[in-house]
Amino acid sequence: MPIRLLPAHVVNQIAAGEVVERPASVVKELVENAIDAGATQIEVDLLEGGLESIRVRDDGEGIVPDELRLAVAPHATSKISAAEDLDGIATMGFRGEALASIGSVSRLELLSRRHDAEAGARLVVDNGDMHDMEPAASPPGTTMTVGRLFARVPARRKFLKTARAESGRVRRVLRDLAAAHPGVGFTYSTDGVIRLELPTGQAPRDRLVALLGRELGDSLIDIDVERDGVSMWGVVGPPDTARPASTHQIICLNGRPIVDRAIRQALREAFRGLIEPSRHPIAALFIGVDPTRVDVNVHPAKTEVRLRDERLIFVVVRDAVRRALEGRDLIPDLPLPLPERRSEARALFGAGKVLTVSDGSSVTQVPATQASRFASDPIDGVKPTTRFMQLHDMWLVVEDEQGIVIVDQHALHERVMFERLLDRIGQGDLPAQHLMVPVAVEVEGDAATALASIVALTRQLGFDLTPMGPSTIAVHAAPVLLVERRVDLAGFVEDLLDRAGALHEADDETALRDVLDMMACKAAIKAGDRLTERELQDLLQQREAIERSSNCPHGRPTSMRLTLDDLEQRFGRR
Ligand code: ADP
Ligand code: MG
């Protein structure tokens, strides 16, 4: 075939493939236009999940009749005029392709009136064919109606899901845009039923509570920082509200909802050890940087951006969220049976069965002098321990100001050691213990190669490893902690080798935390270990002194609390 220029409508259809994927992407483009037009109220109505029609009405500045045809022309925009403008985009749109693209794959009707104009005008573009413009009655602002999306592009229509699934996606797009623009009122309906209603001029935090769930309102943790030219405010949910998917994360940069791996990763790092790795914290974060530091022109739908200083933003997000979490009492209340099943609660806590103390001496009173040593510095909001005991060689039961805290001894010890190791390694390599008799570790394949993959990391930890024969590694020295706690050294090195690939791919800090996790877990006291009184006391004191004592390094809780309030209610004392 000879080379030829494609007709304009084919060019638009090809472009539409990038911008317009499904009803949610149409809604995103139209709502962004409404926001750019200064709307204070935006209404979105869908019929059949947007497959039949999508209507977006706004009270923004409107379009003059003479410019309606231009608005749907490709590469026509009122938002930038020169290439330099790309270096500091403050509007949601700028590519001038959305309306042209939508008009090429649907029946698009534009109806608009400027606030100062007597009358409005209507223009229809039917799958690329532009009809004549005509005067029409219109409220001030703009109404865009998209009918039968992809009716003429069956290949595309096939990829769409059910009406329900599509309207769910639209809801999420609206949620993110509404979070980023709390001043704008939104109404969203599907097939005549209102799904979302948000008032104009809402306070930013109220808007988030409305969007993330009213039941979270009180528990959401606020964040507000400014550092090195990066500002961030928002909220995160406490660890026990984390979700199995990351759908409850809203991340906006300069008012634009974005999908950014680095920021998600920063959030994950901040929650590390507080939630299990398969879960995702609830978060809404609004990051602001000078527009010249972001390139938003890397993705047709503008959901991905390129950050000039990605690392800085990563650190700001991670540290701010971490700090906000550290200031919180994160011990979850124990979920007790519901009141109608009160008899069970009594069996658990009232019959004296669980409270049988295996060793009479383990109900202990710490002399007050001791308690006051950490009284001035309560971490996690937990007041100094006064009385405690070990039950079933596995659980520590501790009295605190708010009630009774039940502690998993292994999980707590693991967390304590992890924090200490982390602290210690910040000052240099961990102390090593020379072994009189080297321990041999068999490896699969070549010893020298296996060793090369972990040697730098293991040296930091205090290991001295050398090849000994073709497929054996000798351990000459090991971290003092592991030796003292009688950890199986060969097994530990084997585990490290198993994970060498993953450790190599992770960034340095993540890899280090991973191996410290392993060490803490291996060295921690186990369920079934009877603790002496002194050990118990030490452990509980350390609990007061570390951050994040509420969860083990893997994110499982170390402690749960039965509040006095709850107990009194359930036992019918109030
Ligand atoms: P872009 O938003 O990238 O400029 P679009 O194709 O989305 O490109 O829109 C083209 C132009 O049409 C915009 O630059 C704007 O001038 C005008 N426009 C689109 N939607 C609206 C609206 N709801 N209100 C006012 N003007 C609009
Ligand atoms: Mg646009």
Side-chain angles (χ1 to χ4, degrees):
M1 250 203 284
I3 301 178
R4 73 193 90 192
L5 281 170
L6 291 169
H9 71 274
V10 180
V11 173
N12 290 347
Q13 267 200 29
I14 293 173
E18 294 182 327
V19 185
V20 185
E21 203 188 348
R22 56 192 343 129
S25 35
V26 171
V27 169
K28 173 178 177 298
E29 293 296 335
L30 297 182
V31 171
E32 286 186 355
N33 281 345
I35 292 171
D36 283 344
T40 62
Q41 177 66 36
I42 300 175
E43 287 164 29
V44 180
D45 302 293
L46 256 56
L47 291 179
E48 286 178 34
L51 305 177
E52 188 55 39
S53 88
I54 300 167
R55 196 179 67 184
V56 177
R57 179 195 292 269
D58 69 61
D59 63 353
E61 63 182 4
I63 307 172
V64 289
D66 285 351
E67 289 188 355
L68 271 186
R69 300 175 73 88
L70 210 49
V72 291
H75 313 297
T77 178
S78 56
K79 299 169 193 174
I80 59 170
S81 57
E84 299 88 84
D85 297 344
L86 285 172
D87 270 347
I89 301 247
T91 50
M92 306 289 289
F94 59 88
R95 298 168 62 104
E97 340 179 88
L99 293 183
S101 300
I102 294 168
S104 72
V105 291
S106 71
R107 182 183 183 282
L108 170 65
E109 183 193 279
L110 299 79
L111 178 69
S112 193
R113 171 154 82 90
R114 301 274 297 186
H115 283 248
D116 49 9
E118 295 271 296
R122 181 202 323 271
L123 177 70
V124 171
V125 189
D126 193 351
N127 288 282
D129 285 339
M130 209 183 293
H131 295 193
D132 287 338
M133 190 186 67
E134 53 189 51
S138 163
T142 304
T143 305
M144 299 277 182
T145 310
V146 178
R148 306 276 295 142
L149 180 66
F150 296 141
R152 305 256 186 95
V153 199
R156 281 262 151 185
R157 204 163 164 99
K158 254 197 349 230
F159 278 102
L160 299 185
K161 302 264 189 288
T162 60
R164 240 186 79 136
E166 295 301 334
S167 53
R169 285 177 195 254
V170 169
R171 195 184 192 290
R172 211 181 303 157
V173 161
L174 287 175
R175 179 198 68 179
D176 290 5
L177 286 167
H181 300 273
V184 180
F186 285 86
T187 312
Y188 172 44
S189 81
T190 60
D191 300 314
V193 180
I194 291 187
R195 305 283 174 191
L196 188 68
E197 212 168 8
L198 300 161
T200 301
Q202 210 170 13
R205 195 180 196 278
D206 293 347
R207 171 68 52 104
L208 293 184
V209 170
L211 291 170
L212 291 173
R214 303 215 177 267
E215 71 285 358
L216 290 170
D218 291 337
S219 68
L220 290 174
I221 300 166
D222 292 279
I223 291 164
D224 195 355
V225 285
E226 174 125 38
R227 182 173 145 193
D228 302 326
V230 180
S231 69
M232 178 168 78
W233 83 274
V235 295
V236 292
D240 60 330
T241 61
R243 304 289 165 117
S246 60
T247 44
H248 281 66
Q249 293 182 354
I250 304 172
I251 297 169
C252 295
L253 185 76
N254 291 353
R256 188 187 299 283
I258 57 162
V259 180
D260 186 84
R261 276 196 53 206
I263 295 173
R264 271 182 207 271
Q265 188 58 32
L267 205 49
R268 179 175 278 283
E269 268 305 310
F271 273 85
R272 186 190 181 82
L274 292 176
I275 57 178
E276 290 178 40
S278 61
R279 298 182 78 80
H280 303 263
I282 292 177
L285 299 177
F286 302 87
I287 303 164
V289 298
D290 188 303
T292 58
R293 289 162 74 174
V294 200
D295 187 355
V296 289
N297 191 24
V298 290
H299 188 269
K302 297 159 289 177
T303 50
E304 282 169 30
V305 297
R306 192 174 295 130
L307 301 168
R308 300 259 150 90
D309 16 38
E310 194 169 56
R311 180 71 198 167
L312 171 66
I313 293 176
F314 174 89
V315 171
V316 171
V317 173
R318 184 196 59 193
D319 292 357
V321 175
R322 239 184 219 168
R323 209 155 313 121
L325 289 167
E326 279 163 14
R328 266 294 181 117
D329 176 0
L330 297 172
I331 300 179
D333 287 351
L334 200 63
L336 274 182
L338 295 167
E340 56 267 27
R341 290 165 60 204
R342 188 181 288 161
S343 53
E344 272 180 48
R346 198 166 288 141
L348 254 174
F349 297 102
K353 190 165 146 240
V354 180
L355 294 180
T356 311
V357 182
S358 46
D359 163 4
S361 69
S362 54
V363 177
T364 317
Q365 178 99 40
V366 179
T369 47
Q370 274 208 18
S372 67
R373 274 204 292 148
F374 32 78
S376 58
D377 188 25
I379 307 275
D380 271 356
V382 178
K383 289 288 171 307
T385 306
T386 49
R387 282 185 280 180
F388 54 82
M389 61 178 126
Q390 182 188 31
L391 299 177
H392 294 284
D393 297 339
M394 188 168 171
W395 306 103
L396 313 186
V397 179
V398 186
E399 178 186 62
D400 82 352
E401 217 167 51
Q402 295 159 61
I404 300 168
V405 180
I406 301 172
V407 181
D408 174 336
Q409 65 182 35
H410 169 74
L412 175 61
H413 194 214
E414 189 179 345
R415 167 53 78 182
V416 164
M417 294 220 282
F418 175 78
E419 292 295 332
R420 282 223 239 126
L421 286 169
L422 196 61
D423 194 47
R424 178 62 188 71
I425 210 156
Q427 303 158 33
D429 295 351
L430 295 182
Q433 164 90 54
H434 185 75
L435 306 179
M436 303 292 279
V437 184
V439 173
V441 183
E442 295 301 321
V443 299
E444 276 175 38
D446 178 46
T449 316
L451 195 55
S453 65
I454 55 164
V455 72
L457 201 56
T458 51
R459 201 167 290 149
Q460 250 184 313
L461 302 180
F463 277 106
D464 177 8
L465 308 175
T466 57
M468 180 172 90
S471 64
T472 308
I473 290 175
V475 183
H476 299 284
V480 169
L481 175 83
L482 294 187
V483 177
E484 272 178 7
R485 300 286 312 164
R486 299 174 200 281
V487 171
D488 163 22
L489 296 174
F492 187 86
V493 173
E494 277 167 18
D495 281 357
L496 266 182
L497 286 167
D498 279 348
R499 293 203 208 174
L503 291 172
H504 192 70
E505 271 174 27
D507 64 83
D508 288 355
E509 188 180 335
T510 306
L512 187 63
R513 280 172 172 258
D514 276 348
V515 293
L516 296 183
D517 266 11
M518 279 172 68
M519 282 179 73
C521 183
K522 288 273 155 54
I525 52 168
K526 303 281 179 295
D529 290 350
R530 174 82 47 99
L531 302 184
T532 65
E533 179 144 345
R534 176 84 224 152
E535 286 170 329
L536 262 173
Q537 225 172 43
D538 280 355
L539 184 56
L540 289 170
Q541 280 195 15
Q542 287 162 8
R543 170 170 182 270
E544 307 288 337
I546 59 162
E547 286 161 2
R548 300 180 176 223
S549 65
S550 62
N551 293 71
C552 81
H554 305 110
R556 289 189 301 275
T558 63
S559 325
M560 301 221 178
R561 184 188 282 119
L562 273 166
T563 65
L564 291 177
D565 254 15
D566 202 24
L567 281 171
E568 281 176 21
Q569 250 172 42
R570 283 168 200 275
F571 281 99
R573 288 179 152 276
R574 277 201 272 136

